[in-house]
Amino acid sequence: MNNQQTHVAIAILHQNNQFLMQLRDNIPNIAAAGCWGLFGGHIEPGETPEVTVQREVLEEIGYELTTFTKFGVYSDETIVRHVFQAPLLVELNQLVLNEGWDMALLTPTDILAGECYSAIAGEIRPLGVMHKRIMMDFVNQHG
């Protein structure tokens, strides 16, 4: 295992052929700052990716992941992303955004375009490059 790589666990949460994504904070020192991405975070020492994705989703939006499956692993030079998928079984207004700038249910059209409007940002913001790739793969497999 490359010690330079950070391991993260992220979740594709889907509802009615739409996908919950987080508009990441517009902070220069975070990955994909100001871009749409998936909820999730760093795997802590001793945690499995499954435990991490449940913990992170609960921390970030107050949603308890009960049923979820592994979708795949996406690696680049710096990050190994353990990707899970699960149905989102509550309405958007039942979630509490504790991390990030905004959240929205994106359509396959938004994902294909690689961007989506954010009411909070007041502008169209891009999807993170790797997050778009993951979402395109998911949409193509489940379309």
Side-chain angles (χ1 to χ4, degrees):
M1 185 169 111
N2 180 347
N3 289 334
Q4 303 310 309
Q5 288 177 305
T6 301
H7 283 253
V8 299
I10 54 180
I12 299 169
L13 299 171
H14 49 86
Q15 180 178 87
N16 302 324
N17 201 32
Q18 293 183 310
F19 308 94
L20 185 67
M21 297 192 80
Q22 170 198 50
L23 184 58
R24 294 178 57 81
D25 288 312
N26 213 5
I27 302 170
N29 63 340
I30 65 169
C35 295
W36 291 101
L38 296 165
F39 287 97
H42 291 93
I43 297 173
E44 303 292 340
E47 266 186 346
T48 63
E50 290 77 8
V51 167
T52 299
V53 76
Q54 288 179 292
R55 176 181 55 76
E56 286 285 344
V57 168
L58 191 60
E59 285 174 9
E60 292 181 359
I61 55 173
Y63 183 63
E64 195 169 335
L65 275 184
T66 49
T67 306
F68 60 96
T69 57
K70 189 113 184 203
F71 175 64
V73 176
Y74 289 75
S75 300
D76 59 28
E77 298 75 34
T78 56
I79 302 175
V80 177
R81 295 168 183 85
H82 300 263
V83 185
F84 296 88
Q85 65 92 20
L88 180 64
L89 304 172
V90 299
E91 296 300 317
L92 205 54
N93 63 11
Q94 292 179 261
L95 301 174
V96 179
L97 185 65
N98 295 314
E99 187 174 306
W101 196 7
D102 196 1
M103 66 177 165
L105 286 166
L106 275 64
T107 66
T109 305
D110 295 327
I111 289 158
L112 187 60
E115 59 185 25
C116 183
Y117 180 78
S118 162
I120 290 176
E123 60 188 10
I124 292 171
R125 303 296 306 193
L127 269 71
V129 176
M130 185 62 84
H131 292 257
K132 180 181 177 185
R133 194 178 119 200
I134 292 166
M135 291 308 303
M136 289 295 297
D137 288 352
F138 188 82
V139 168
N140 289 334
Q141 285 183 32
H142 297 82

